[in-house]
DNA sequence: CGCATTTGACCAGCGC
DNA sequence: GCGCTGGTCAAATGCG
């Protein structure tokens, strides 16, 4: 069972095909082991949640270690986090949490208000929508994406989604589905598509932040795996620690290079992986890793800040 | 009946 | 300007 997570923080353009970015694949592999247990209701988007629900996913983005990630031959889940953001690239040494998250989350929060207002207008008339679009370029929310090897397209992440569109993807036989959070005033969207390189891989791209808790009742425990609840979301640590490397896109070479954070989720599962709802919920269906994985803290310590480890 | 999904049409952005 | 592509809308349809 492989899982690849990709963080795509596209602050502006968003015109690039995400699949194009991920299609080249990432050399690193890790192990994403999950304990068996009840499905967590925690939504993956909580990782992106606003201040009320925990630290932003981007809080978890840590400066890359100086060492290149070891190329693992493990067939186990691979988590690949990719951040694509010119702003971030300008401060590559500190995808540090606070700076990034504060910037991104605040921007999003402010933007959400605007978006909500705009959405009201949009619902009134389409003409008004056109006017807005013509007057200003549409700004995109920060996006977070991950790749999951899965038979199911739509991953259960604890939130309710409504499909509002489907489009054929260029150079891919698989269509891309567009989902929107069904919660009123929550403008989080996500796209789901399959990799044309590996049809077994589902690429899910989230855009925006949920401004509400997961609508699904969450279970109190997860087989000994600590859950992140909404009030202590900061405990979450998306396994976004890893090596940052430039990724040369094979098709859209004109695009600025983005950062790949290659993850080693196997080391994270006990402490953080459980909060990675979508990936976790999905992956745990297929993987039942051995206990030995839990013991490998050497690599974990290499890629996870010590303070994060202490939070377990 | 209410909600979710499907699907064709429409629009904006971008490259040529 | 034109065509392509991504993204969204909204009517039609399906389903529980």
């Amino acid at each position: 069972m492989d899982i690849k997570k990709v963080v795509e923080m596209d602050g502006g353009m968003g015109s690039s095909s995400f699949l194009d970015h991920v299609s080249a694949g990432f050399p690193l592999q890790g192990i994403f082991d999950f304990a068996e247990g009840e499905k967590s209701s925690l939504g993956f988007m909580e990782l992106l949640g606003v201040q009320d629900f925990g630290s932003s996913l981007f809080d978890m983005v840590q400066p890359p270690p100086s060492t290149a990630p070891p190329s693992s031959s493990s067939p186990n889940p691979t988590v690949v986090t990719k951040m694509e953001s010119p702003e971030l690239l300008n401060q590559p040494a500190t995808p540090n949490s606070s700076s990034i998250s504060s910037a991104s989350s605040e921007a999003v929060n402010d933007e959400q208000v605007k978006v909500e207002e705009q959405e009201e207008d949009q619902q009134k008339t389409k003409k008004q929508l056109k006017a807005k679009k013509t007057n200003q370029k549409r700004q995109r929310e920060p996006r977070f994406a991950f790749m999951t090897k899965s038979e199911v397209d739509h991953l259960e992440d604890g939130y309710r989604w409504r499909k509002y569109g489907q489009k054929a993807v260029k150079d891919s036989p698989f269509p891309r589905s567009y989902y929107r959070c069904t919660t009123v005033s929550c403008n989080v969207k996500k796209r789901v598509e399959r990799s044309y390189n590996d049809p077994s891989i589902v690429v899910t791209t989230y855009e925006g932040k949920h401004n509400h808790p997961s609508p699904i009742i969450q279970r109190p425990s997860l087989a000994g795996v600590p859950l992140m609840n909404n009030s202590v979301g900061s405990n979450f640590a998306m396994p976004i620690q890893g090596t940052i490397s430039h990724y040369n896109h094979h098709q859209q070479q004109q695009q600025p290079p983005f950062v790949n954070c290659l993850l080693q989720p196997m080391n994270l599962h006990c402490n953080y992986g459980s909060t990675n709802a979508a990936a976790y919920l999905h992956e745990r269906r297929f993987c039942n890793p051995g206990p030995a994985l839990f013991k490998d803290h050497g690599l974990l310590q290499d890629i996870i800040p010590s303070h994060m480890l202490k939070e377990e």
Side-chain angles (χ1 to χ4, degrees):
Chain A
M1 187 58 189
D2 290 350
I3 178 170
K4 296 179 181 180
K5 295 181 183 177
V6 180
V7 168
E8 177 185 7
M9 290 159 59
D10 188 333
M13 297 304 293
S15 60
S16 61
S17 169
F18 177 72
L19 261 185
D20 289 342
H21 297 321
V22 300
S23 61
F26 299 89
L28 286 198
Q29 287 187 338
I31 301 170
F32 214 0
D33 64 340
F34 298 103
E36 292 296 323
E38 291 296 322
K39 174 190 288 189
S40 169
S41 65
L42 288 173
F44 174 70
M45 286 307 297
E46 287 186 6
L47 309 184
L48 301 176
V50 293
Q51 63 283 359
D52 291 341
F53 310 119
S55 60
S56 164
L57 165 70
F58 310 125
D59 289 346
M60 303 309 161
V61 178
Q62 298 297 323
S66 58
T67 59
S71 178
S72 172
S73 59
S74 170
N76 288 314
T78 296
V79 172
V80 179
T81 300
K82 176 180 66 180
M83 292 172 295
E84 181 180 6
S85 172
E87 291 92 351
L88 290 179
L89 290 176
N90 290 337
Q91 29 182 300
T94 15
N96 175 358
S97 355
S98 52
S99 61
I100 289 180
S101 74
S102 60
S104 60
S105 62
E106 289 177 1
V108 170
N109 289 336
D110 292 339
E111 190 172 344
Q112 280 181 339
V113 176
K114 297 177 182 177
V115 170
E116 290 176 3
E117 294 175 355
Q118 290 183 1
E119 286 183 345
E120 292 178 358
D121 293 337
Q122 291 174 2
Q123 293 176 353
K124 290 179 181 179
T125 64
K126 207 172 182 177
K127 293 181 180 180
Q128 291 179 352
L129 172 64
K130 294 179 182 177
K132 287 181 179 296
K133 286 183 178 180
T134 52
N135 289 337
Q136 65 179 24
K137 286 186 178 181
R138 181 174 51 188
Q139 291 185 345
R140 292 185 178 279
E141 303 278 356
R143 292 190 290 178
F144 175 88
F146 61 91
M147 300 163 61
T148 304
K149 197 163 190 174
S150 169
E151 300 172 357
V152 182
D153 288 341
H154 192 187
L155 306 181
E156 177 59 54
D157 59 5
Y159 287 89
R160 297 189 63 191
W161 301 92
R162 171 176 294 187
K163 188 176 184 178
Y164 66 89
Q166 178 174 308
K167 289 284 291 187
V169 181
K170 181 185 176 183
D171 296 332
S172 175
F174 307 102
R176 174 183 297 153
S177 297
Y178 299 89
Y179 296 89
R180 179 177 295 145
C181 182
T182 58
T183 301
V184 180
S185 77
C186 181
N187 62 338
V188 175
K189 300 170 189 175
K190 77 172 180 181
R191 299 178 304 193
V192 177
E193 59 189 291
R194 286 194 176 273
S195 170
Y196 64 91
N197 279 348
D198 187 352
S200 65
I201 293 178
V202 177
V203 180
T204 305
T205 304
Y206 291 91
E207 181 173 336
K209 292 183 178 182
H210 289 284
N211 55 9
H212 59 93
S214 172
I216 299 177
I217 301 172
Q218 63 181 71
R219 306 294 182 99
S221 66
L222 189 62
V225 178
L227 287 173
M228 173 189 72
N229 68 32
N230 293 334
S231 62
V232 292
S234 60
N235 197 30
F236 158 76
M238 182 67 186
I240 298 179
Q241 180 64 45
T243 295
I244 291 179
S245 61
H246 290 292
Y247 176 82
N248 294 325
H249 190 257
H250 66 288
Q251 288 181 341
Q252 301 185 12
Q253 296 177 353
Q254 73 279 12
Q255 289 186 341
F258 53 83
V259 179
N260 292 336
C261 289
L262 301 174
L263 307 179
Q264 303 296 328
M266 75 295 233
N267 295 318
L268 301 170
H269 106 78
C270 284
N271 305 319
Y272 316 109
S274 63
T275 60
N276 184 2
Y280 162 72
L281 293 175
H282 198 64
E283 291 304 310
R284 67 177 185 80
R285 301 174 190 169
F286 303 95
C287 69
N288 187 14
L293 297 175
F294 294 78
K295 297 176 181 180
D296 185 6
H297 283 272
L299 183 55
L300 173 63
Q301 292 172 350
D302 289 340
I303 62 176
I304 299 298
S306 58
H307 72 276
M308 296 173 70
L309 291 172
K310 291 177 182 178
E311 292 179 355
E312 74 179 65

